[in-house]
Every structure is written in structure tokens, then in C-alpha cells.
């Protein structure tokens, strides 16, 4: 017997006080799984994946896992799959965001505790990708991200439908009385018809693009549709690359740097990506002690045009982006703005990746840098007396006519209050008012759901109103659109200025000046602050207690305070 090797099944041996016995016992049980001694001596590639009957976005995982294993075996490794928590966006109460940090802990601990030389992270639906990247960053084991790919859109009455921007578009028309009950049922059956994540530039697609821009995924893999055979070839190639990472380790901390995070922000802005991605990128950065500031976001946004013509910012779908050349085309257009010396999971730098021959580009989908879809980036941060630590507007999906505006606040104190009054015929509201939702932020009981996309009041929707200013401490789905101000920080539940707004107050928004101000004098605000009720008693047990005690505000990525690395 020899001292403990540092490879494969011999990594991180269970401690029985006798290292040689520990390896002997582990091989015994590996034999029970049917592995030969030859296979036991190969580098182990973990496959962390998130299957669940409550997550239909991941229903193509069995064949993807098989393809990953094929790649690992062909490259001389031993693939060992293991499950993680699976976060299905539409199936979790109160919101999948509440459980993102839990999944990150699951990933970090399991890839640290189990013997593997590298790991493939397989997840797609919204919060799964950032949670996996957060966990991998903290564990700092060689890792490579793979996504299941987007759904295919479905033809319907001369157009194409895809979850979930079209879900919201038709639901709004249904609420306005423009679409019948019978027709909305037909549409419902056509919005999500294949495996994969939402077909538009929602959070899942955004995070897939961000992972590729960061260098944590193989080039060209973000936009491949779930139903395409290229998705399986990408899985096989990912398995092969994981074996290479085991042989020549590149740690997440070498890939996820301040420079690569700025590259990812550039991509986020250029694709008109989800506001959620900003929270997730901030959380990923925080795991490595890197700070992403909203002030820096504004600087990047003002110099990064929107180049991608996809819903909800544009007209097309992720399958169209794949056909147009994928994320690599966007990176190539942005190259003069990028840090090209950033390392990727292939061992190449970003610059080396982009030095190859340029592919054909469909300019209906990806515009050139010289002729952008929109001249400035998709996201902008606002500051002011209503948002001292910042708020976010997805200006690429908003109505520019509302960007410089003062209006009267119509306040909803909770999600229940919103649900009970938004469609009341007695609601005192006009199209020029600002709808304000309180107590839907990270420290609220609701856990910061995607409730920031407040519906247009029914009485206004029936009159043809399509958009109005909406303000909250909640999030918004990346599939949504409209002039919606989100992530107001500090949130109302922690006593932020948002908690002090009353119906009838005046609010001024200026996208040009990056301002969001509550036009109420300080003396009145002081009086209101003194009248705020004490925060509700914290939960006394379980994950609810941990979440309530440890969750940070949106500018810190809503991560748990004890999981961030001081930097």
C-alpha cells in the first residue's frame, strides 16, 4: 500500500483513521457498482445535474448525460453522475430565487466532498446555472458548464410562439378583452412544446450566454436548441474537455476574474439580457471576492450597443441566434471592448478563440457594431432618494417616451394587496401614474419573486394602455417587457425609502440623469419612518430561518452573507 494518491477515486478519502483502509473500502464499493480496477484508476469526472419531474425544461437530461459520459469515456475518464436540487421556475413557491443559494451550497459541498478531478455542471432553467457557477466558484474545482438549450418556437396563425414573452403578450391581450377564453387555451398549448428553456432571451438564455462569455462553457454551445443533434455533440465535447481539465487543471478562479466578468456584462448588455443576470453575476463575483458596482454597469452600458434582435427586446428567438452564429458572433462584434486575454475552459484565451475565421452572420438577428439594434446597452442603474443603493431598468425593453417623467404614486403594500386591488374598477389610477409595489424584495416573506412586472390595471388595459412606469423591490422575468424599475435597494422590508412611499406622492424618474427620486420632504419622511411597523418576527427553523437571517440586498447579489469571499 502507498500513501493516498490525489487522483480519481483516491481523492478526498473518507476518514476512518486508516488511509489505506479507506481506499480499500472505497474500491470495494466501487466494485459493487460494477467498475473494474482499470476504470477505478482513471480520472473521475463528476456530472452534476438537476433532473426533476417538476422541471420540464430539463427533460432532455437523460440523453445529454449519456452524451457527456460518451465524451468522458472516449477521452479516458470515468464519468460519475450525481443529482442536485432542481429549480423549476414555474413550480416553486414562493419563488425559485429563494432556493438559488441552497442549490449553490448543494453543488459546492457535493463537488468538494465527493472524489472527482473535474465536474460538468448541467443545468438550465433560470436559477440553476448561476447557482451551479456560484457553487463551483466557491469549491474552485475544475468545472465546465453545459445547458440543455432553448425550446423551439411553435407556428401559430402566421407567427411563431415561444415561452414566455409571448405568454405575457397574449395574457395582457386576454386581460384587455382582446383574446377570448377559448383562444387563450389554444395559445397556452402552443407556447412551450419541446424540451429546453424559454425560447426567448429570458434569464435561462441570458445565463447560458453569460456562461459562455465568462469562459465557463465551450464556445458555441449557449444557443443550440434542446432538440438539435448539435446539443448532444456539444455534450460529448464537454465531457471530453472535462477530462482535459482533469489532466491540466484550470480552476474557476482563473477563469472568473474582474476582466471576464466585465466581458460577461458587455454580453449581457449587448444581447438585451435579463435583469436577473445582474444579480446572478454579482453573486458569482462575490464568491471570489470581486465587486461589481452599479456605477460601473452604467459606464459599460453607455458604451455597449444592443446588437441582438431577440424577444423581448426584439423580434426573434434563440434558435434564430444559433442559426445566425451564436454568442461567438456577438463576442466578435464586441471584441474592441473586451478583455481578450481572459482564459477559458478550453485553455485558450478569448482572443485566441475569436482569431479564427469569421462565420457567416445573419444581420437580421445580430447587427454589426457600427449599425446596432439600439445604440446603448439594455440595462441601466438608477439612483436617488427612492433608491439610495440603486435600482435597475431594462431600457431595451421599455418605452422611451416614459424615460423622463414625473408621476403620482399608486401604492400596493404587498403582493396580496396588488392581487386584490389591481383590477378593481374603483382603483384610483391613470396611465400617467406610477404603480409602486412594496414588500416584494429579498428580505420580504415572498423572497423577491418575479412580481415586478405589475399588470396594467384592467380598467386601463381595456382602454388600450400597453405600458406605464412600475416600480418595486421585486425582480422581473427576463422574458418580460415594459418600463419596469426593479431591485429598488434597500428593499421595503428592511426599511428602505420604498417603504415610505404613500399613494398620492410624486415620483420623478430620469433615465438620462440616472435618477429615481421620491419628491417628499425629509421631515415628512422622518415622521413616516418612525411610524413603520417593526419587522415581522423571523422564522424560527429550517431554511426559512437561514434565508431570513443571511440574505443580502440586490446590489450584493442576494447571496448569503456567509458565502461571499472577502475581497
Amino acid at each position: 500500500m502507498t500513501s493516498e494518491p490525489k487522483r480519481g477515486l483516491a481523492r478526498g478519502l473518507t476518514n476512518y483513521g486508516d488511509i489505506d483502509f479507506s481506499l480499500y473500502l472505497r474500491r470495494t464499493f466501487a466494485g459493487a457498482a460494477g467498475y473494474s480496477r482499470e476504470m477505478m484508476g482513471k480520472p473521475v469526472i463528476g456530472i452534476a445535474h438537476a433532473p426533476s419531474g417538476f422541471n420540464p425544461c430539463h427533460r432532455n437530461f437523460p440523453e445529454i448525460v449519456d452524451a457527456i459520459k460518451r465524451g468522458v469515456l472516449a477521452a479516458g475518464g470515468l464519468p460519475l453522475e450525481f443529482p442536485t436540487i432542481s429549480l423549476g421556475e414555474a413550480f416553486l413557491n414562493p419563488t425559485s430565487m429563494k432556493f438559488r443559494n441552497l442549490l449553490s451550497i448543494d453543488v459546492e459541498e457535493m463537488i468538494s466532498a465527493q472524489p472527482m478531478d473535474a465536474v460538468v455542471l448541467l443545468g438550465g432553467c433560470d436559477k440553476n446555472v448561476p447557482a451551479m457557477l456560484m457553487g463551483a466558484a466557491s469549491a474552485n474545482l475544475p468545472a465546465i458548464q453545459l445547458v440543455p438549450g432553448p425550446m423551439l418556437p411553435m407556428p401559430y396563425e402566421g407567427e411563431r410562439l415561444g415561452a414566455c414573452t409571448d405568454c405575457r403578450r397574449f395574457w395582457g391581450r386576454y386581460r384587455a378583452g382582446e383574446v377570448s377564453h377559448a383562444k387563450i387555451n389554444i395559445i397556452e398549448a402552443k407556447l412551450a412544446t419541446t424540451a429546453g428553456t424559454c425560447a426567448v432571451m429570458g434569464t435561462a438564455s441570458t445565463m447560458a450566454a453569460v456562461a459562455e462569455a465568462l469562459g465557463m462553457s465551450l464556445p458555441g454551445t449557449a444557443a443550440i436548441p434542446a432538440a438539435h443533434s448539435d446539443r448532444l455533440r456539444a455534450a460529448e465535447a464537454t465531457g471530453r474537455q472535462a477530462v482535459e481539465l482533469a489532466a491540466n487543471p484550470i480552476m474557476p478562479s482563473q477563469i472568473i476574474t474582474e476582466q471576464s466578468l466585465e466581458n460577461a456584462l458587455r454580453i449581457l448588455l449587448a444581447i438585451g439580457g435579463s435583469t436577473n443576470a445582474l444579480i446572478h453575476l454579482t453573486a458569482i463575483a462575490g464568491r471570489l471576492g470581486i465587486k461589481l458596482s452599479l456605477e460601473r454597469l452604467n459606464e459599460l452600458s453607455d458604451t455597449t450597443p444592443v446588437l441582438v434582435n431577440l424577444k423581448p427586446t426584439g423580434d426573434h428567438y434563440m434558435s434564430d441566434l444559433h442559426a445566425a452564429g451564436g454568442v461567438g458572433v456577438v463576442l466578435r462584434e464586441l471584441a474592441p471592448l473586451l478583455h481578450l486575454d481572459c482564459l477559458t475552459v478550453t485553455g485558450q484565451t478569448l482572443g485566441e478563440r475569436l482569431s479564427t475565421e469569421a462565420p457567416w452572420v445573419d444581420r437580421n438577428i445580430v447587427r454589426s457594431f457600427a449599425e446596432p439594434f439600439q445604440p446603448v446597452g439594455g440595462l441601466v442603474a438608477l439612483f436617488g432618494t427612492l433608491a439610495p443603493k440603486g435600482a435597475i431598468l431594462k431600457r431595451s425593453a421599455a418605452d422611451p417616451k416614459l424615460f423622463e417623467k414625473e408621476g403620482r404614486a399608486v401604492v400596493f403594500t404587498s403582493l396580496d394587496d396588488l392581487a386584490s386591488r389591481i383590477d378593481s374598477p374603483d382603483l384610483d389610477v391613470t396611465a400617467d401614474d406610477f404603480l409602486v409595489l412594496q414588500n416584494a424584495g429579498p428580505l420580504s416573506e415572498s423572497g423577491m419573486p418575479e412580481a415586478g412586472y405589475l399588470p396594467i390595471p384592467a380598467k386601463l388595459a381595456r382602454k388600450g394602455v400597453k405600458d406605464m412606469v412600475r416600480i418595486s423591490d421585486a425582480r422581473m422575468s427576463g422574458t418580460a417587457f415594459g418600463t419596469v424599475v426593479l431591485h429598488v435597494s434597500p428593499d421595503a422590508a428592511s426599511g428602505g425609502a420604498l417603504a415610505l412611499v404613500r399613494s398620492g406622492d410624486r415620483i420623478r424618474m430620469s433615465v438620462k440623469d440616472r435618477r429615481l427620486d421620491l419628491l417628499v420632504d425629509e421631515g415628512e419622511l422622518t415622521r413616516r419612518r418612525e411610524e413603520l411597523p417593526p419587522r415581522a418576527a423571523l422564522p424560527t427553523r429550517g431554511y426559512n430561518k437561514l434565508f431570513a437571517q443571511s440574505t443580502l440586498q440586490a446590489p450584493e447579489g442576494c447571496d448569503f452573507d456567509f458565502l461571499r469571499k472577502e475581497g
Side-chain angles (χ1 to χ4, degrees):
M1 294 285 187
T2 60
S3 61
E4 178 192 359
K6 300 293 185 182
R7 163 180 160 146
L9 289 178
R11 290 175 63 100
L13 289 168
T14 309
N15 191 350
Y16 297 104
D18 181 338
I19 291 176
D20 291 334
F21 173 76
S22 297
L23 182 56
Y24 162 77
L25 190 63
R26 180 172 287 178
R27 283 177 173 159
T28 296
F29 282 98
Y35 295 113
S36 66
R37 285 296 292 267
E38 179 186 3
M39 290 304 296
M40 290 182 206
K42 293 183 180 296
V44 173
I45 306 302
I47 304 172
H49 64 118
S52 171
F54 293 101
N55 198 343
C57 299
H58 292 181
R59 70 177 172 89
N60 59 343
F61 275 18
E63 60 179 358
I64 290 180
V65 170
D66 283 346
I68 296 170
K69 289 180 176 179
R70 186 166 66 239
V72 171
L73 291 167
L78 171 61
L80 293 179
E81 63 176 290
F82 61 97
T84 68
I85 297 166
S86 189
L87 305 180
E89 181 65 34
F91 292 83
L92 286 164
N93 179 19
T95 169
S96 65
M97 182 65 179
K98 183 173 181 179
F99 304 101
R100 182 202 64 179
N101 297 345
L102 182 60
L103 172 53
S104 80
I105 293 172
D106 182 0
V107 170
E108 175 185 352
E109 297 301 334
M110 287 301 97
I111 67 179
S112 298
Q114 298 177 131
M116 63 193 76
D117 299 285
V119 62
V120 176
L121 308 168
L122 177 57
C125 184
D126 279 28
K127 311 306 175 290
N128 292 271
V129 172
M132 288 181 157
L133 291 175
M134 290 160 68
S138 294
N140 209 28
L141 181 86
I144 184 169
Q145 182 73 51
L146 182 65
V147 296
M151 300 178 194
L152 292 173
M154 172 60 65
Y156 172 72
E157 293 189 356
E159 62 175 315
R160 293 183 299 163
L161 302 183
C164 195
T165 297
D166 295 321
C167 307
R168 301 176 190 281
R169 177 167 62 93
F170 278 100
W171 188 254
R173 292 181 59 190
Y174 172 67
R175 282 172 46 81
E178 300 171 8
V179 171
S180 69
H181 182 72
K183 191 167 185 177
I184 200 69
N185 286 337
I186 295 172
I187 292 166
E188 177 184 317
K190 295 182 177 293
L191 285 165
T193 59
T194 75
T197 54
C198 288
V200 299
M201 191 54 78
T203 305
S205 297
T206 300
M207 289 309 301
V210 161
E212 185 174 329
L214 272 176
M216 288 297 295
S217 297
L218 286 183
T221 59
I224 304 170
H228 201 301
S229 59
D230 280 350
R231 176 53 60 192
L232 299 181
R233 283 184 279 273
E236 182 181 307
T238 297
R240 285 180 174 272
Q241 189 58 39
V243 178
E244 174 62 25
L245 285 172
N248 299 288
I250 303 174
M251 304 302 178
S253 59
Q254 296 174 265
I255 297 172
I256 304 171
T257 64
E258 185 175 351
Q259 290 72 35
S260 70
L261 286 160
E262 284 207 353
N263 290 344
L265 283 173
R266 293 278 192 191
I267 277 288
L268 170 61
L269 294 164
I271 63 179
S274 168
T275 51
N276 285 317
L278 186 60
I279 291 180
H280 299 324
L281 270 173
T282 302
I284 293 166
R287 294 298 181 92
L288 294 169
I290 302 169
K291 179 176 174 57
L292 295 185
S293 74
L294 295 181
E295 291 82 2
R296 182 57 176 158
L297 171 71
N298 281 342
E299 293 172 5
L300 296 175
S301 190
D302 286 342
T303 56
T304 308
V306 177
L307 301 178
V308 177
N309 184 10
L310 260 63
K311 294 183 177 183
T313 296
D315 302 315
H316 299 282
Y317 296 90
M318 283 297 288
S319 54
D320 302 316
L321 177 60
H322 174 61
V327 171
V329 170
V330 188
L331 288 168
R332 193 180 296 276
E333 291 295 330
L334 293 177
L337 303 178
L338 301 177
H339 301 282
L340 298 178
D341 57 346
C342 289
L343 192 62
T344 72
V345 287
T346 66
Q348 285 187 314
T349 64
L350 178 60
E352 288 170 334
R353 171 191 172 177
L354 299 179
S355 67
T356 58
E357 183 178 353
W360 173 83
V361 180
D362 185 345
R363 292 300 182 190
N364 290 320
I365 309 299
V366 181
R367 303 282 183 86
S368 69
F369 189 85
E371 298 180 335
F373 185 59
Q374 294 183 18
V376 291
L379 305 181
V380 63
L382 307 178
F383 300 89
T385 58
L386 187 52
K389 293 188 177 180
I392 298 297
L393 172 70
K394 187 174 182 178
R395 60 180 170 184
S396 62
D399 184 350
K401 293 192 294 293
L402 301 176
F403 284 4
E404 309 297 320
K405 185 175 176 60
E406 181 180 319
R408 182 186 65 148
V410 177
V411 178
F412 301 91
T413 59
S414 67
L415 291 169
D416 289 341
D417 184 33
L418 173 69
S420 67
R421 292 197 297 125
I422 189 66
D423 288 337
S424 171
D426 298 325
L427 182 66
D428 180 12
V429 65
T430 73
D432 288 325
D433 291 335
F434 288 13
L435 302 181
V436 177
L437 172 63
Q438 299 168 327
N439 296 305
L443 296 188
S444 70
E445 291 183 1
S446 58
M448 204 181 187
E450 292 182 340
Y453 182 70
L454 278 66
I456 302 297
K459 64 193 293 184
L460 299 182
R462 287 192 291 267
K463 294 178 180 178
V465 176
K466 302 297 184 184
D467 195 10
M468 56 194 300
V469 177
R470 286 157 277 181
I471 300 170
S472 77
D473 48 8
R475 297 179 299 113
M476 178 174 79
S477 170
T479 65
F481 47 88
T483 309
V484 183
V485 180
L486 304 155
H487 311 174
V488 172
S489 181
D491 69 349
S494 63
L498 185 67
L500 307 180
V501 185
R502 302 290 181 264
S503 289
D505 288 346
R506 304 293 294 180
I507 297 174
R508 181 183 298 130
M509 181 175 75
S510 173
V511 176
K512 174 175 64 70
D513 295 333
R514 308 290 189 267
R515 297 289 303 182
L516 185 67
D517 290 298
L518 176 60
L519 305 181
V520 176
D521 69 74
E522 188 58 38
E524 173 62 16
L525 293 180
T526 298
R527 186 187 66 79
R528 292 180 186 179
R529 189 171 284 110
E530 292 172 349
E531 294 177 351
L532 287 177
R535 187 180 175 190
L538 295 179
T540 58
R541 65 176 302 277
Y543 186 67
N544 286 336
K545 179 179 181 179
L546 180 64
F547 187 89
Q549 287 181 336
S550 304
T551 301
L552 296 166
Q553 295 283 317
E556 291 78 46
C558 298
D559 202 359
F560 289 162
D561 51 13
F562 61 87
L563 293 176
R564 287 167 60 87
K565 180 180 178 181
E566 293 299 325

